[in-house]
Amino acid sequence: RFIRDNQDDPFFLYFAHMHVHLPLYAPDRFMKQSDNGRYGAVVECVDWSMDVLMHELQQLGLDDNTLVIFTSDNGSRVNDEGGSNAPLRGTKGTTWEGGMRVPCIIRWPGQIPDNAVCHDVTSAMDFLPTLTRLAGGEVPNDRMIDGHDISNLICNNAGTSPYEALAYYRQNELQAVRVGQWKLHLARKGEEVKELYDLE
């Protein structure tokens, strides 16, 4: 729980970690009703857990004053485990869009307009400076922070992406660079490539 300096209302931010990642564990109840094996059971368990969390926030009267972020790890492995990156190309461990893009749903009643959609490029690295600012704190200035404050994009759908270019690395190899709708692949598996894609 955080109290913001400029408002009397507290700002609630709770972290809950649920994952659909190897190894896959799901309660027997979900295994029995899954049409997509163990992976489907874990996804259904995550859905159920989110419902429980949202219900609890409502019961505690915190629902309207809580920022909820639902996002994912990058890219499915797509190894007959039930996951999919469709319609995007690539899998986890690649710098194709299917290996890098993730869904992100953010809910904060009264602060984020209903049904707002943001198409700007952002990164999970942006959560640190953004949530720090929204909670009334200050990002440390004695070290390099890779993320950017994207609160305007989240709350007002205003402004544009803070990224002039976004670099795609696989370990220490720079494999691609994105600028706007253009993505240039430079390397793959240690080999130089020259491939330009229009992501739109």
Side-chain angles (χ1 to χ4, degrees), residues 5 9-11 25 32-33 47 64 90 99 102 119-120 122 126-127 129-130 138 147 151 168 171 194 196-197:
D5 293 337
D9 291 334
F11 165 65
Y25 297 111
K32 288 179 179 174
Q33 63 193 35
D47 288 347
D64 287 342
V102 296
H119 295 282
D120 287 281
T122 61
D126 300 328
F127 286 140
T130 302
E138 293 183 15
S151 55
Y168 292 70
Q171 296 176 340
K194 295 178 182 178
L196 181 63
Y197 292 91

Side-chain angles (χ1 to χ4, degrees), residues 50-61:
M50 281 302 299
D51 184 50
V52 169
L53 178 65
M54 297 304 294
H55 177 76
E56 188 66 17
L57 289 173
Q58 191 173 34
Q59 292 298 106
L60 293 171

Side-chain angles (χ1 to χ4, degrees), residues 97 101 119 178-183 197-200:
E97 293 300 286
R101 283 195 200 186
H119 295 282
R178 176 178 176 174
V179 176
Q181 72 191 57
W182 300 100
K183 184 175 179 184
Y197 292 91
D198 181 346
L199 298 178
E200 293 183 7

Side-chain angles (χ1 to χ4, degrees), residues 32 36 40 53 56 73 78 104 112 129:
K32 288 179 179 174
N36 193 18
L53 178 65
E56 188 66 17
D73 188 21
V78 196
C104 185
I112 299 174

Side-chain angles (χ1 to χ4, degrees), residues 102-118:
V102 296
C104 185
I105 301 168
I106 304 177
R107 179 183 184 274
W108 194 10
Q111 302 292 328
I112 299 174
D114 292 344
N115 302 313
V117 177
C118 178

Side-chain angles (χ1 to χ4, degrees), residues 89-156:
R89 179 181 186 178
T91 61
K92 179 179 286 303
T94 71
T95 52
W96 295 111
E97 293 300 286
M100 301 299 285
R101 283 195 200 186
V102 296
C104 185
I105 301 168
I106 304 177
R107 179 183 184 274
W108 194 10
Q111 302 292 328
I112 299 174
D114 292 344
N115 302 313
V117 177
C118 178
H119 295 282
D120 287 281
V121 176
T122 61
S123 168
M125 295 184 296
D126 300 328
F127 286 140
L128 171 66
T130 302
L131 297 176
T132 299
R133 180 192 169 281
L134 291 174
E138 293 183 15
V139 175
N141 59 12
D142 62 344
R143 68 204 74 176
M144 176 65 94
I145 302 294
D146 291 324
H148 302 277
D149 176 3
I150 57 169
S151 55
N152 278 339
L153 288 175
I154 292 173
C155 296
N156 307 316

